[in-house]
Amino acid sequence: MASVFLALAFAHFFSTLIRAITATLAPTLSAELGLHAHDLGLLGSGYFFGFALMQIPLGSWLDRHGPRTVLLILLALAVIGCVGFAVADSFTGLLLARVLCGAGVSACLMGALTGYRNWFDTNDQLRANAWMLMVGSVGMLFATLPVQWLVTS
């Protein structure tokens, strides 16, 4: 049970980290690729666009195929998006990668909640939900100063 929780909580952590990381990377992206404020805003929204595109089919996929399968497939898409973001040398490449990242992590919250509902008893579900949301919030924190340390080193 602990390994299931840790895997799902880490996926949610990853989702929130990716969500917030462009704000921390903005100065670097502006300096290296000549991006302007409107470009950076669009990069941020690219994540949410990919995320939103997946919400309608996500519910039926989770019901039909289960959270394990859906999360593994979509997280593979997120990894492809992260690699694409790392190697992109243009605004278009960065934007497409952000859309893939958003689509890829779109099941990290609902997939985990569905998994907890399917695999945990009621008391453990409540505890797992609360702890997972806390771990996700830590992902937002890790997208700030720790990322700045990595960028400057």
Side-chain angles (χ1 to χ4, degrees):
M1 184 175 339
S3 60
V4 170
F5 168 78
L6 288 174
L8 295 174
F10 179 72
H12 188 54
F13 170 90
F14 182 63
S15 170
T16 58
L17 179 106
I18 291 174
R19 174 180 167 190
I21 204 165
T22 51
T24 305
L25 295 176
T28 304
L29 293 171
S30 294
E32 292 186 9
L33 297 172
L35 300 183
H36 301 291
H38 62 276
D39 298 324
L40 296 169
L42 195 54
L43 279 182
S45 65
Y47 169 92
F48 293 108
F49 182 71
F51 198 98
L53 282 175
M54 299 304 289
Q55 293 310 298
I56 301 277
L58 182 61
S60 65
W61 291 347
L62 286 170
D63 290 341
R64 186 176 303 128
H65 304 292
R68 180 182 307 136
T69 302
V70 173
L71 276 165
L72 286 175
I73 291 169
L74 290 179
L75 284 173
L77 186 64
V79 169
I80 292 168
C82 288
V83 170
F85 193 86
V87 300
D89 59 358
S90 69
F91 171 73
T92 304
L94 290 172
L95 182 59
L96 291 174
R98 287 289 291 171
V99 171
L100 282 177
C101 287
V105 298
S106 63
C108 288
L109 176 62
M110 291 313 297
L113 296 177
T114 302
Y116 296 151
R117 182 179 41 111
N118 292 344
W119 305 319
F120 292 8
D121 65 40
T122 304
N123 288 333
D124 290 336
Q125 284 178 41
L126 299 173
R127 189 174 303 111
N129 290 347
W131 279 92
M132 186 195 63
L133 291 173
M134 183 202 61
V135 170
S137 297
V138 172
M140 293 268 188
L141 293 174
F142 269 70
T144 59
L145 198 54
V147 170
Q148 279 184 331
W149 291 335
L150 291 172
V151 169
T152 58
S153 59

